[in-house]
Amino acid sequence: MQMISNVVSTDDVPLVLITECDLPTVKSSLEENGALIVRARAGLDDFEALSNGLIKPMVHHSTSTAVERDPVNADATTSTVNKGMDSIPLHREGSYAPGCPDMLLLYCVRPASAGGETTLCDGVALVESLSAPVRDFVENSVLKWSWTVSPKRWMATLGVTSKEAAETRLSQVRRSLPSWEKLDTEFDGDVMHGVFQTLCVIPTRWGRRKSFCNSLLIYHYRSVSEYYPKNIYTPALGDGSPFPTDVLAEIAEQAGALTHRVRWHEGDMLLIDNSRFMHGRTAFTDTSRRILVRMGHVTGN
């Protein structure tokens, strides 16, 4: 019989824990809760099979360089998480560009002996926790992400091998954007420049609830490194002005109070609704830690 339980597997907040890889149960639980753990001592084949039932997997653009992530399977849809052992602030995966994944699935091959927990913060709860003036500001703010990317990145992201094919694909992308998103791009030689406009507070995929789920915190609170090419992207408000530091400080404080840690067990899978939960990680020193990730767009509905 399918087993579902609430279990305190984090520092302070219980996550739903499922003990079998039952696709319908996993799907309905994710839609309701936004994040859950599947603790069924799954192997890599189980992980890929479950994710194939939930999403159409995509290749993350950073896998194209093998500097930030290493591909694990033949088509690079399974990869390592971001390399390095530093802490990573909360963020929504790929929120600086169109077509960011609906869902993330992480798989623990080997946990760190200490540290290295994945952190989670519910963007719906975060919006509700903000003071009235800050909540009003973020709910009515537009974010513009300006970026410059190499041929390797745009080819990997778009799944093309030429500028002509890229232009065709970008036209398709623009037609598929929701009403609150806009994309402008141009080429300078083989380098692509883009400006992506989106909302600061987005509607969740399931339930259409207001969620502070974006990449402002990671941009402002993580330093550039070989594993984080921060200088590729620059956020601003819709009018081009910087995001206010006092507003960001309140958001960071409230997010810290709402963040909890997933303590990994070998074979665990963590599923995340990328429109509701921001994620990150704590620092660690154990070089044997190995967490894999798949991401993509939901199938069916």
Side-chain angles (χ1 to χ4, degrees):
M1 183 176 67
Q2 176 63 29
M3 297 293 292
I4 305 177
S5 61
N6 285 330
V7 57
V8 180
S9 55
T10 64
D11 280 347
D12 52 4
V13 179
L15 285 182
V16 169
L17 181 136
I18 297 176
T19 56
E20 293 181 17
C21 299
D22 179 73
L23 181 60
T25 303
V26 168
K27 184 175 183 295
S28 62
S29 181
L30 182 68
E31 292 177 4
E32 179 180 355
N33 299 288
L36 66 116
I37 296 172
V38 179
R39 182 163 294 160
R41 297 198 62 82
L44 181 57
D45 289 345
D46 301 313
F47 170 63
E48 293 190 337
L50 181 64
S51 58
N52 286 340
L54 293 167
I55 59 171
K56 180 180 180 181
M58 60 189 287
V59 178
H60 195 282
H61 62 82
S62 65
T63 310
S64 63
T65 65
V67 173
E68 297 161 59
R69 302 171 189 258
D70 287 327
V72 172
N73 62 353
D75 63 5
T77 57
T78 303
S79 72
T80 59
V81 293
N82 193 265
K83 295 180 184 178
M85 296 185 288
D86 57 328
S87 63
I88 297 180
L90 295 165
H91 60 285
R92 180 189 185 206
E93 194 69 45
S95 68
Y96 40 77
C100 69
D102 298 322
M103 188 186 305
L104 274 69
L105 299 93
L106 286 82
Y107 172 66
C108 179
V109 178
R110 185 177 299 109
S113 56
E117 298 97 347
T118 293
T119 54
L120 292 173
C121 179
D122 185 345
V124 172
L126 179 54
V127 169
E128 294 171 352
S129 74
L130 298 174
S131 65
V134 169
R135 187 187 317 124
D136 182 68
F137 179 84
V138 295
E139 287 181 355
N140 291 282
S141 290
V142 169
L143 296 180
K144 284 187 175 180
W145 291 90
S146 302
W147 34 261
T148 300
V149 290
S150 67
K152 279 187 177 181
R153 285 186 181 269
W154 59 256
M155 287 180 183
T157 301
L158 298 173
V160 299
T161 57
S162 69
K163 288 195 292 185
E164 293 75 18
E167 293 286 12
T168 299
R169 177 64 184 131
L170 286 166
S171 295
Q172 295 170 345
V173 169
R174 291 187 186 97
R175 289 194 295 270
S176 68
L177 294 177
S179 59
W180 62 86
E181 293 182 355
K182 181 181 178 183
L183 174 66
D184 295 305
T185 58
E186 64 178 8
F187 280 99
D188 180 6
D190 287 332
V191 175
M192 181 190 292
H193 301 285
V195 177
F196 175 59
Q197 177 177 297
T198 186
L199 296 176
C200 183
V201 171
I202 61 171
T204 58
R205 179 174 181 83
W206 295 290
R208 313 296 289 180
R209 301 172 68 186
K210 294 178 179 180
S211 174
F212 184 94
C213 198
N214 56 57
S215 295
L216 285 173
L217 294 175
I218 188 174
Y219 178 83
H220 287 280
Y221 295 119
R222 190 182 187 194
S223 299
V224 64
S225 72
E226 62 180 311
Y227 304 122
Y228 181 49
K230 178 177 179 176
N231 297 334
I232 291 177
Y233 310 99
T234 305
L237 292 174
D239 62 2
S241 62
F243 196 87
T245 55
D246 58 333
V247 173
L248 191 68
E250 179 177 327
I251 294 167
E253 181 179 5
Q254 292 302 115
L258 293 169
T259 295
H260 54 284
R261 303 178 180 187
V262 175
R263 301 189 185 281
W264 286 107
H265 294 237
E266 184 176 325
D268 276 0
M269 292 182 279
L270 173 64
L271 283 65
I272 303 170
D273 173 358
N274 196 42
S275 68
R276 178 169 170 180
F277 274 83
M278 294 185 290
H279 69 285
R281 77 167 178 228
T282 64
F284 60 99
T285 58
D286 183 356
T287 58
S288 68
R289 178 188 188 266
R290 185 169 175 81
I291 308 294
L292 306 181
V293 63
R294 298 193 102 197
M295 60 188 79
H297 299 105
V298 298
T299 56
N301 65 342

